[in-house]
Amino acid sequence: MEAQSRQTKDRVPAVEVRDLSVEYHSGGSVVHAVNHISFTLEKGRTLGLVGETGAGKTSTALALMRLLPDRVSVIPNGEIRLKGDNVLELPESHMRMMRGSIISMIFQDPMTALNPIMTVGNQIAEAIRNHASDKMTKEQVNRRVEEVLELVGIPAERKNNYPLQFSGGMKQRVVIAIALACRPDILIADEPTTALDVTIQAQVLALISRLKEQLGTSMIMISHDLGVVVRTCDDVAIMYAGEIIEYGSVEQIYGPGDHHPYTVGLFGAIPDLKSKARRLSPIDGLMPDPSNLPTGCKFSPRCPHCTEACRQQEPPETERDGHIIRCHLFGGEKV
Amino acid sequence: MNQHDTVPVIETVDLKKYYKVRKGFLHAVDGVNLRILQGQTLGVVGESGCGKSTLGRTVIGLHEPTEGKVLFRGRDMASLTRKQNRQLHTRMSMIFQDPYSSLNPRMCVADLIADPMVINHTCSNRQERYKRVAELMDTVGLAKRIAGAYPHELDGGRRQRIGIARALALDPDFIVCDEPVSALDVSIQAQILNLLMDLQDEMGLTYMFVTHDLGVVKHISTNIMVTYLGKCVELGTSDQIFENPCHPYTKALLAALPEPTLEARNRQFELLKGEIGNPINPKPGCRFASRCPNCTEACLKGDIPEHEVEPGHKVSCVLFAPQSNEETL
């Protein structure tokens, strides 16, 4: 009986987001940062959230952590379940316990994410003291700090160093150590390698993949870089103007077959090392203003296949073996 | 064939730029030789801190070289009088990395683009100047209605177009592009790269393109120079570098590049150990030795000479030293 209940508990997805929207209210205008997105992250898997600046990737992550600035942001509808618990209904004190030990985040820029006047060891210890689920003695905290530093490949004796004594790649390792300090089940990595050089990026990506495997963490990887996503993720959600316009496994998104015109455009715009063609094929136009989104399909003003229907009606969802495309081109049937 | 085709637009001879710091000298650029012919693009690739921006700035005269020479169409820039120098600087310009911080937030678009003409007194008639501004805005694809807008009202792609219009304002021959697309999204990045290539074809511009992104450099460059800690480690045509990379650092850079394909997902890639070294008072020998998988004793002995592995393709690595040279070392 107990085993059975544990089994059902195991089958609860790590993250379940249903119909989530995020708005920012400022100066009389409403910015629609995230619009009715739904996705599920199964235990132990990695989901990539891909999109350009302003697509709503970071707003989604902050909503999951419940770290959105409460004065200006509003979640008008939606449901976020972390291991079954609805995050939006929890009291702040409970949420504080969940941050760090259930869900944790690696921030984008290691140069600004760390406190410059605190030793890295103290910063890791601070995360443990604030968020660990059970009380720990000073020695236990100390031991854990050394453990996580070793885990991310930094010698434990460097815990008394300040951030300025570390290089960019090493600082990002410290940020990862802080995120892992309380053994979270779910890890959100927000552009973890964007501020790093390519050779260092490769090291940090390898580290993240190894740790994920070793600790069995479920992960959401936010990136604008399709190359980073293919190396690290199992599933991919492509975001545009606050919506998930295509969702599927890595094989479905990167493989041949039907794709959303924006996905096609995004792949086409990347400088290709193999192609001999000199000109690139950019996507015409610009991202729409999120406080004044077009009606119908949000991508229609830039889309090469745009029709009258696209400008007026929300595109239907087409699903084939879990591969979802929101576009008028593909009828809307679900198989 | 006239002289312009054979004399390089820009040539440097053993160019060095050191900065004095408390512990000694920071070798930002250390003995770089390069030649860029009319209408060509030299891509300078490397990681942060390897001196590629300093190289661009020294070539264009924003920094004075510590040693060595910069020749513009065969004339040594250091030998010119102030007046000549000033005139020369209207022939070269620069596009900066960050379109968010390189534009004066208190000037409108039209004034920003007119600014270089005002500073250099090239177009003293106000009406003509703004006619030229309208032309430039058209060239770089900015709508006329935003002439009165301020930078904060515009997105990154449009701001970078302003930066390009400013660089073109004096009708230069040579432009140093310092990471012009790294602050932009991919779909916008492709628009700006295409614009830069179109302008080159139309106006016969010569570019030095400084970037950390190998994919970008491959598309725009005729020749590529790979730098590591102030030294040029490999120089060749774009095809030579991508099809036959020789220096272990070039190979590592290419291997570390995340390709957006399914094959790249399963490929095992070799990780480069360690991080970029310290440019302050570097030890003799190969600068890359501490991270190099092929490091031998010969790498630590002294300066690594350049070897030509195929015509126009130079590598500074002991692995490619001719046998006879190795014996004399």
Side-chain angles (χ1 to χ4, degrees):
Chain A
M1 185 75 173
E2 207 192 0
Q4 203 184 356
S5 86
R6 203 200 279 137
Q7 234 178 20
T8 44
K9 187 127 204 220
D10 270 356
R11 254 185 274 134
V12 173
V15 180
E16 214 177 346
V17 173
R18 288 281 153 263
D19 197 34
L20 176 74
S21 296
V22 176
E23 292 171 357
Y24 296 101
H25 294 241
S26 81
S29 69
V30 179
V31 173
H32 299 272
V34 178
N35 303 306
H36 307 283
I37 63 164
S38 303
F39 63 85
T40 310
L41 173 67
E42 298 295 342
K43 203 170 167 291
R45 286 179 77 86
T46 304
L47 169 73
L49 282 185
V50 187
E52 295 180 279
T53 317
K57 312 179 296 274
T58 303
S59 292
T60 307
L62 293 177
L64 257 62
M65 296 284 292
R66 236 178 72 186
L67 283 175
L68 285 166
D70 32 290
R71 275 196 206 162
V72 290
S73 65
V74 177
I75 299 180
N77 50 280
E79 200 182 87
I80 302 169
R81 288 190 181 275
L82 300 182
K83 296 179 78 188
D85 292 333
N86 190 346
V87 166
L88 299 177
E89 283 165 5
L90 291 176
E92 175 58 27
S93 58
H94 192 140
M95 191 60 218
R96 205 177 157 81
M97 291 292 292
M98 285 185 75
R99 279 188 216 119
S101 56
I102 303 283
I103 185 164
S104 185
M105 189 157 169
I106 300 172
F107 292 93
Q108 174 165 5
D109 186 355
M111 320 299 159
T112 54
L114 295 172
N115 184 342
I117 55 166
M118 241 173 122
T119 63
V120 300
N122 278 340
Q123 295 190 50
I124 299 170
E126 188 185 38
I128 298 170
R129 280 196 299 268
N130 282 332
H131 297 301
S133 41
D134 34 56
K135 275 261 161 285
M136 285 165 117
T137 63
K138 228 174 184 174
E139 285 78 52
Q140 280 174 317
V141 171
N142 225 333
R143 212 172 312 128
R144 181 69 191 148
V145 168
E146 288 176 6
E147 240 172 66
V148 283
L149 275 176
E150 298 278 356
L151 191 68
V152 297
I154 298 176
E157 59 266 23
R158 291 202 67 183
K159 68 178 177 186
N160 293 324
N161 286 166
Y162 288 90
L164 70 96
Q165 290 166 294
F166 290 89
S167 63
M170 293 292 260
K171 272 189 222 160
Q172 192 59 293
R173 283 170 196 261
V174 174
V175 173
I176 295 171
I178 293 174
L180 294 175
C182 304
R183 304 185 177 88
D185 300 304
I186 305 152
L187 187 62
I188 303 176
D190 186 3
E191 306 258 11
T193 57
T194 308
L196 307 176
D197 283 314
V198 272
T199 57
I200 309 301
Q201 165 171 289
Q203 291 173 0
V204 171
L205 287 180
L207 173 74
I208 292 177
S209 303
R210 177 172 65 78
L211 291 176
K212 200 201 129 232
E213 205 89 330
Q214 202 176 324
L215 309 171
T217 320
S218 322
M219 193 161 92
I220 295 179
M221 180 78 151
I222 296 177
S223 182
H224 69 279
D225 190 331
L226 286 162
V228 168
V229 168
V230 77
R231 269 194 191 176
T232 47
C233 299
D234 306 308
D235 301 303
V236 182
I238 311 252
M239 289 189 78
Y240 185 80
E243 290 178 350
I244 293 177
I245 50 108
E246 187 167 349
Y247 179 94
S249 68
V250 166
E251 286 78 16
Q252 284 165 338
I253 300 285
Y254 286 76
D258 290 342
H259 292 294
H260 193 283
Y262 176 65
T263 313
V264 176
L266 206 55
F267 275 97
I270 303 170
D272 184 355
L273 291 182
K274 296 213 180 69
S275 103
K276 288 271 176 202
R278 187 151 175 264
R279 277 189 75 88
L280 293 156
S281 25
I283 305 171
D284 285 337
L286 300 164
M287 195 88 147
D289 176 2
S291 63
N292 185 19
L293 290 172
T295 53
C297 173
K298 309 284 183 287
F299 187 59
S300 60
R302 302 175 75 182
C303 183
H305 310 285
C306 177
T307 64
E308 206 41 52
C310 303
R311 275 185 226 111
Q312 309 205 331
Q313 290 154 24
E314 286 274 332
E317 229 170 60
T318 311
E319 189 181 337
R320 215 166 284 147
D321 306 325
H323 182 190
I324 300 169
I325 305 176
R326 282 170 63 97
C327 179
H328 282 290
L329 279 181
F330 308 101
E333 77 271 23
K334 300 195 177 192
V335 186
Chain B
M1 205 187 247
N2 66 26
Q3 201 201 354
H4 273 189
D5 292 329
T6 48
V7 177
V9 175
I10 281 285
E11 186 173 4
T12 69
V13 182
D14 202 23
L15 189 68
K16 288 180 182 166
K17 176 69 194 171
Y18 296 169
Y19 293 101
K20 188 151 177 32
V21 292
R22 210 169 359 153
K23 288 175 196 154
F25 286 95
L26 188 152
H27 296 222
V29 176
D30 209 352
V32 170
N33 296 299
L34 58 85
R35 288 159 65 90
I36 315 176
L37 296 176
Q38 174 85 39
Q40 286 193 340
T41 302
L42 175 75
V44 179
V45 205
E47 292 181 280
S48 43
C50 72
K52 51 191 196 308
S53 284
T54 308
L55 177 64
R57 284 163 176 260
T58 312
V59 162
I60 209 168
L62 285 177
H63 296 320
E64 211 169 290
T66 309
E67 250 178 68
K69 276 191 276 191
V70 179
L71 308 170
F72 181 75
R73 295 209 188 280
R75 286 160 74 191
D76 185 352
M77 282 174 47
S79 71
L80 302 175
T81 63
R82 255 182 99 121
K83 202 175 161 195
Q84 283 173 319
N85 207 338
R86 181 137 200 167
Q87 216 168 24
L88 188 72
H89 276 100
T90 64
R91 311 269 301 277
M92 39 171 81
S93 63
M94 187 151 179
I95 300 172
F96 294 93
Q97 171 167 13
D98 184 358
Y100 295 87
S101 59
S102 60
L103 299 174
N104 185 340
R106 302 176 68 166
M107 285 168 89
C108 71
V109 172
D111 288 340
L112 280 167
I113 299 174
D115 207 28
M117 295 183 258
V118 175
I119 291 168
N120 289 288
H121 314 291
T122 55
C123 201
S124 48
N125 181 323
R126 197 183 147 81
Q127 251 173 356
E128 254 172 56
R129 196 158 65 223
Y130 283 96
K131 220 178 105 194
R132 173 92 179 116
V133 168
E135 264 172 42
L136 284 165
M137 287 180 68
D138 193 45
T139 315
V140 300
L142 286 168
K144 287 208 174 52
R145 67 188 155 77
I146 65 159
Y150 288 85
H152 76 268
E153 298 172 60
L154 306 171
D155 58 274
R158 287 217 185 88
R159 282 190 231 196
Q160 198 53 289
R161 286 176 197 264
I162 300 173
I164 296 171
R166 275 164 67 89
L168 293 173
L170 300 174
D171 212 1
D173 303 345
F174 173 64
I175 301 180
V176 173
C177 312
D178 187 3
E179 303 259 19
V181 294
S182 60
L184 307 175
D185 278 318
V186 272
S187 71
I188 308 299
Q189 170 180 311
Q191 291 175 4
I192 298 292
L193 287 175
N194 278 348
L195 172 66
L196 287 170
M197 290 190 277
D198 291 343
L199 291 172
Q200 181 169 43
D201 293 343
E202 278 163 38
M203 306 181 182
L205 293 169
T206 307
Y207 290 143
M208 180 165 157
F209 202 97
V210 176
T211 182
H212 68 283
D213 188 331
L214 278 164
V216 166
V217 106
K218 155 138 196 177
H219 266 267
I220 202 156
S221 308
T222 5
N223 295 299
I224 293 175
M225 184 169 120
V226 183
T227 57
Y228 191 79
L229 283 178
K231 291 246 188 220
C232 162
V233 296
E234 189 162 357
L235 177 72
T237 65
S238 182
D239 288 344
Q240 284 168 344
I241 298 286
F242 278 91
E243 273 152 34
N244 181 21
C246 293
H247 197 282
Y249 180 61
T250 315
K251 284 184 190 158
L253 268 185
L254 283 170
L257 200 70
E259 264 184 89
T261 55
L262 281 175
E263 297 90 73
R265 181 176 168 79
N266 303 318
R267 194 190 311 147
Q268 281 294 319
F269 52 98
E270 214 175 296
L271 284 181
L272 209 52
K273 291 189 302 280
E275 305 201 3
I276 196 159
N278 190 350
I280 299 169
N281 300 335
K283 283 190 216 107
C286 178
R287 301 268 159 98
F288 186 59
S290 62
R291 298 175 78 187
C292 185
N294 313 92
C295 180
T296 62
E297 216 149 281
C299 301
L300 305 169
K301 268 187 196 152
D303 272 346
I304 310 297
E306 238 175 23
H307 301 289
E308 202 157 24
V309 284
E310 53 189 314
H313 187 178
K314 290 177 191 156
V315 183
S316 301
C317 179
V318 289
L319 289 178
F320 295 90
Q323 218 54 44
S324 56
N325 268 17
E326 216 157 64
E327 282 162 14
T328 55
L329 265 174

